[in-house]
Amino acid sequence: MERYIKKTLRTYVGSILKNNTKNDRLRIFVLFPPRTWVPWTWRSVELQGRQQQHVTTIITMLSTQRTRFLLAAGFLAAAAAEASDEPPIAIPSDTELQFSADPYADQDKLGMIKAGLSNLAAIRYEATSFSSANTGYTGVYGDFCVYDARLNYVEDPSLYPTIDDMMLTSDHCGEHTYTLPLAEVVAAVSSHDINVGQTNPPVDGLLFHLGHSGAGVVSNALATFESALVVPEHPAITDALFACDHIHNRHESADCSSSLQKKLVEDVINLATRSSDASITHAYIKFNADSTAYISMARELIPNAPWTFHYRDSDTTLAKSTQAKRNSCVFKRRQPSSHLAEKAILLGLDLDGMSQEDLCALYLSTLFEVAINEYENSETGMLVPYEKLVEAGFITDVVLPYLGLQAEIDADPAMVSANVETTLTTKSNTRGVPGNKVQQWNANDEVVHISDKVRAASALFLGNTMEAFERM
C-alpha cells in the first residue's frame, strides 16, 4: 500500500511540476483527516526554488509533515496551484472518503493514552510556543494513535528500524489519529502514573550516529532483549530537539526559550519510553542522524545514560548520504541546525549556492564536531567505528555490557550471541523492499561507489575531522 501511494504521489506531483513554468513558488495542498474536535482540514507545503526540482524530495517533505497517516489509509485527496493560497476544491464527505469506522470512537481519548493503548505519534507547535514570555510551552499538540511500540521486539527488528515503520502497520494511525494539547496529556499521564505506582523504565542508553554507520545494528540487537524497550528514531523526539532551530529558520524568530524547549523534549521522551510492563527494565533511544547536533541537550536531560556515537569513514558516509532517496541532508539548505548555520557563516559559505556533495559534507562535519566536543568535554560516551561492529564479540562483549545488559548476557550468553549474529547478517533498513521482507547482508560484500565529487567534498570538509577521530 505504501509503495502504491508513493507511486501515485510521484505521478501526481510530477504532473504539477511539469506544468509549473515559473519555478518561483508552488503550494501543494493535502487533506488531513479529522482528529478529535478538529474537522477535515487542508494543510499546505510551500516549495521554493530548487525544492521543486525533485519529486522524491517533495514526497519526503510531505511525509515529514505527517501526511503519511492519511496516505497510509490508501486515499489521496490533494490539490496544488501555482502561487495560490487557497485549496482549490471542497472537502469531500465522509461517505466519499470511505474511511473505516473508528473502533475506539466511544472511548475516552485521554483514558486510552493513560492505559497505554494509544501512543504518541508526532507533535506540532507554533511560532510562539516557546516564547520567553510564557511560563510553560503553549500551542503544542500531540498526535496519538493505536500502534504496537514493541513491534521491533515481537517481530524481526530489521523490519521496523524506526517508529514510523511500526506506525505504518496500524490502520488506526492511518485513519483515526487523535490530536490533543500535549501539556494536558503530560499532566494527566503523570497524575495517573503516580496514583497507580507506575514508573518508566530508566533510559539506559542513547544511540547517536551519522547515518549509515551501524547504529541500526546495535539498535536491533538491543530490541531482541525482553527487558529492553527500544525507541528508534521517534519523529516527535526529533521535532522536539529541532524546535527552536525550526522556529528560527521558518519564522525568523529568536524568541525561543531553551528551558521551555527542554521541557518539551523531556515530556516527549517520557511519553515515548512509557511502559506499564514490569518485565521491561531498560529503555534505549536511537536518535536519527540530524539529532546528533543536539547531543548536549539530550545528555543534559538524561545525564546518567551511557551514550554511543556511531561513525564510519568519511568518503563512504558522504557517498551513501548523497544517494538518491537517502539525501535528506539537502534539506539543510533551508533548515540548518544552529551549528551548521554558524559554521557556514564562519567559513563565509552560502548554503544555497553549495553543491549537494559540499553541503552534505559540511553538514556531516558539524555532527562529527558536536560528537567530538561532547566526548572530550564530558569524558563520557563510547565512539563506535563501523568496522568494529563486524569484529567477533565486539557487540556482545563491549557495546551491550556498556549499555547495561551484562546481567542479561550472563543469563543466556549463547542466545545473546545467536541474536547478535542474526542482526549482523540482516539488512537493518528494509524499507522499500517488496513485501517488507528480511534481506541477508554482509558488510564485507557491500560496495559503495565514491565519485570524484564526493572525494573532493569529503577531503575539503571532513578530512581534518576524521584525523581528529583517528587520534582519539
Side-chain angles (χ1 to χ4, degrees), residues 384-434:
V384 184
Y386 181 81
E387 298 76 19
K388 284 283 187 181
L389 294 175
V390 296
E391 291 183 4
F394 181 76
I395 293 178
T396 305
D397 300 338
V398 180
V399 179
L400 297 183
Y402 172 73
L403 295 173
L405 289 168
Q406 187 64 61
E408 285 84 348
I409 295 171
D410 292 341
D412 196 340
M415 184 181 71
V416 172
S417 294
N419 287 340
V420 169
E421 181 63 27
T422 299
T423 65
L424 282 172
T425 57
T426 306
K427 190 174 180 63
S428 66
N429 183 356
T430 59
R431 284 166 288 181
V433 176

Side-chain angles (χ1 to χ4, degrees), residues 322-338:
T322 52
Q323 289 175 347
K325 299 184 181 181
R326 286 177 163 177
N327 59 342
S328 60
C329 49
V330 298
F331 297 140
K332 301 308 168 185
R333 294 187 196 280
R334 299 296 181 185
Q335 290 289 344
S337 69
S338 57

Side-chain angles (χ1 to χ4, degrees), residues 110 138 278 341 374:
L110 268 177
T138 61
E374 188 66 28

Side-chain angles (χ1 to χ4, degrees), residues 65 85 92 210 212 225 324 329 342 407 442:
Q65 292 280 326
D85 292 317
L210 288 178
H212 321 297
F225 287 85
C329 49
E342 290 167 5
N442 187 326

Side-chain angles (χ1 to χ4, degrees), residues 95-145:
T95 302
E96 292 173 304
L97 293 172
Q98 296 182 348
F99 280 103
S100 63
D102 182 0
Y104 307 98
D106 296 332
Q107 294 196 30
D108 176 67
K109 304 307 179 278
L110 268 177
M112 291 173 64
I113 297 170
K114 288 188 285 187
L117 177 61
S118 184
N119 297 309
L120 180 65
I123 59 168
R124 291 182 279 118
Y125 44 79
E126 303 168 350
T128 58
S129 288
F130 312 101
S131 171
S132 56
N134 301 337
T135 56
Y137 58 76
T138 61
V140 180
Y141 292 87
D143 292 343
F144 296 84
C145 58

Side-chain angles (χ1 to χ4, degrees), residues 143-188:
D143 292 343
F144 296 84
C145 58
V146 177
Y147 67 92
D148 186 352
R150 292 206 75 198
L151 205 54
N152 55 351
Y153 168 72
V154 176
E155 300 186 26
D156 190 319
S158 69
L159 297 176
Y160 307 101
T162 71
I163 286 291
D164 273 346
D165 293 298
M166 299 181 207
M167 288 190 282
L168 282 172
T169 67
S170 167
D171 291 337
H172 191 265
C173 288
E175 301 181 20
H176 305 293
T177 304
Y178 310 130
T179 299
L180 299 168
L182 194 70
E184 292 183 16
V185 172
V186 170

